[in-house]
Amino acid sequence: MHAVEFLKQSSGDIAPVVVLSGGQRHLKQAAMANLRKRVIDDDETCLTRFPAKEATLQAVSDELHTVSMWGDRRLVVVDDADEFVTKNRAGLEKLVEKPARKSVLALVLDSFPKSTKLYKLVAAKGLEIECSELKGPQLQKWLQETSKETYGQSISRDAAVLLIELVGDELGMLDSELAKLASYVGSKGKIEIEDVKSLVGGWRTETTWAMTDATRDNDLDFALTALDQLLTSGEPPMKLLGGISYTFKKYAVATDLSRTIALDQALRQAGVFPMAVNAGQSYLRRLGRTKAEQILQRLVQVDAGLKGANPLPERIQLERLLVELSGHDLS
């Protein structure tokens, strides 16, 4: 079960052995909070938490079989338990097959290979909560649901997409920005794209939009000057690429759509704002289909390059990208 689904549950029986696995720290923390509430109602006297280096199979087993004086159930947690599981796999398999009657064992892991006997036992008799990264539509859905359910504010699709482009896919950071946005819009009840532009990054975000507009409109001097200002101010290159990608991915989609429909319709279907459709048409016609069809590929290449695939300095990679997106050839 993915953590997103687990977090929608507030009641029901919890299996005697639970594994929380994956790299999304925010989901692990939220899932653990849900687990504690459902097993021991947050009663600290019924909780035992082992750091990985202090956990032994005997100590964990003893805690699981200790009768609580204060509550009906106990929750025993082993954090960062990958090495603990590797050392004690056979013993843990026995614990899953013959669990303690009134205790729940929770193992917090980075990875939980499906090929192991322990995984298969937990899948059959326990509960595996997958705390893996969310991508694409899943991430957007999580953002919209979290905004509504946690903060009482809806968020438009465009605002959600932009927030992800600017902040990235780390759920903790996205949740933090959502909290700020929800407070910012107040009684309005909905987070719109302009709210994201205004609040997430302030003047830096506005400068990013000016930079992308200048790139589109072939004002390369302004675009490179804006890029320099942003980088000098400490704006992370990946965040800047997020803003660039948000704008130019739409032109890439419109290029593909324009094979079968008129260009202005293609731009609207791709999500370009009505007031920017004319500028978008001029841009793509000036660029030409051959170069326009390379937009998405270049965005992907620079994304990989900024993550280590390209030895060039990050500044140079972004400067080259703006030059190419504006329609100029690199000399």
Side-chain angles (χ1 to χ4, degrees):
M1 175 186 298
H2 198 278
V4 170
E5 296 304 314
F6 178 71
L7 291 170
K8 292 178 181 178
Q9 302 175 359
S10 58
S11 61
D13 293 336
I14 296 292
V17 178
V18 180
V19 175
L20 297 87
S21 65
Q24 257 298 347
R25 178 181 174 83
H26 181 79
L27 286 178
K28 280 183 177 176
Q29 291 174 333
M32 181 58 71
N34 183 305
L35 185 66
R36 285 178 57 171
K37 183 68 176 176
R38 290 169 64 180
V39 175
I40 59 174
D41 198 24
D42 284 331
D43 184 349
E44 293 288 337
T45 64
C46 298
L47 171 68
T48 301
R49 199 152 194 168
F50 287 96
K53 293 182 180 179
E54 297 177 13
T56 65
L57 184 63
Q58 187 62 56
V60 170
S61 181
D62 288 347
E63 285 295 325
L64 287 170
H65 290 90
T66 297
V67 178
S68 174
M69 296 177 61
W70 311 108
D72 293 333
R73 306 185 76 184
R74 292 182 61 77
L75 176 62
V76 180
V77 180
V78 183
D79 288 305
D80 302 316
D82 294 78
E83 186 175 345
F84 172 77
V85 168
T86 299
K87 289 180 178 178
N88 301 285
R89 195 175 299 278
L92 290 169
E93 290 167 0
K94 292 178 181 178
L95 279 177
V96 179
E97 291 177 321
K98 294 186 67 176
R101 290 196 308 163
K102 290 193 174 183
S103 297
V104 173
L105 171 63
L107 302 171
V108 184
L109 305 172
D110 287 331
S111 62
F112 194 32
K114 295 182 179 182
S115 58
T116 63
K117 181 180 178 182
L118 182 59
Y119 180 94
K120 294 171 184 176
L121 284 170
V122 171
K125 299 186 177 184
L127 172 63
E128 196 259 340
I129 303 174
E130 183 185 349
C131 303
S132 57
E133 292 183 351
L134 302 176
K135 297 290 185 181
Q138 275 189 321
L139 181 57
Q140 183 183 318
K141 182 180 178 183
W142 174 86
L143 193 64
Q144 291 178 301
E145 289 180 348
T146 300
S147 182
K148 192 67 175 179
E149 295 168 8
T150 303
Y151 300 109
Q153 305 278 9
S154 61
I155 181 169
S156 70
R157 179 187 177 280
D158 281 339
V161 171
L162 176 57
L163 186 58
I164 292 166
E165 290 284 1
L166 293 176
V167 176
D169 57 11
E170 210 295 308
L171 301 189
M173 293 178 64
L174 285 169
D175 187 57
S176 177
E177 294 299 332
L178 267 183
K180 297 176 191 175
L181 285 162
S183 177
Y184 177 72
V185 301
S187 60
K188 188 172 74 169
K190 187 171 185 178
I191 300 167
E192 300 282 7
I193 193 167
E194 292 303 323
D195 302 314
V196 176
K197 287 183 178 181
S198 298
L199 195 65
V200 183
W203 75 266
R204 293 180 177 88
T205 302
E206 293 297 332
T207 304
T208 300
W209 305 138
M211 176 184 70
T212 57
D213 285 351
T215 301
R216 177 199 64 197
D217 297 337
N218 201 23
D219 188 353
L220 194 54
D221 287 342
F222 181 93
L224 292 174
T225 299
L227 176 64
D228 177 66
Q229 292 174 345
L230 290 162
L231 290 171
T232 301
S233 74
E235 195 73 349
M238 282 302 299
K239 186 175 180 181
L240 289 176
L241 180 62
I244 296 168
S245 296
Y246 176 81
T247 296
F248 285 93
K249 278 181 181 177
K250 294 180 180 180
Y251 295 131
V253 171
T255 299
D256 187 53
L257 291 173
S258 68
R259 293 178 180 278
T260 56
I261 60 176
L263 183 56
D264 61 334
Q265 291 179 272
L267 287 161
R268 289 187 176 89
Q269 285 192 28
V272 174
F273 293 119
M275 66 182 65
V277 167
N278 287 338
Q281 289 186 86
S282 297
Y283 168 64
L284 290 178
R285 285 171 178 153
R286 175 171 58 80
L287 208 62
R289 180 168 291 278
T290 299
K291 288 184 178 179
E293 289 177 341
Q294 297 171 0
I295 290 174
L296 187 57
Q297 180 184 358
R298 286 297 295 128
L299 293 173
V300 171
Q301 287 173 344
V302 175
D303 179 78
L306 294 180
K307 292 175 180 175
N310 190 331
L312 286 174
E314 294 169 329
R315 174 186 288 270
I316 292 178
Q317 291 186 56
L318 288 174
E319 287 176 345
R320 289 169 66 95
L321 177 64
L322 293 186
V323 170
E324 290 179 315
L325 290 175
S326 70
H328 295 268
D329 293 323
L330 293 169
S331 58

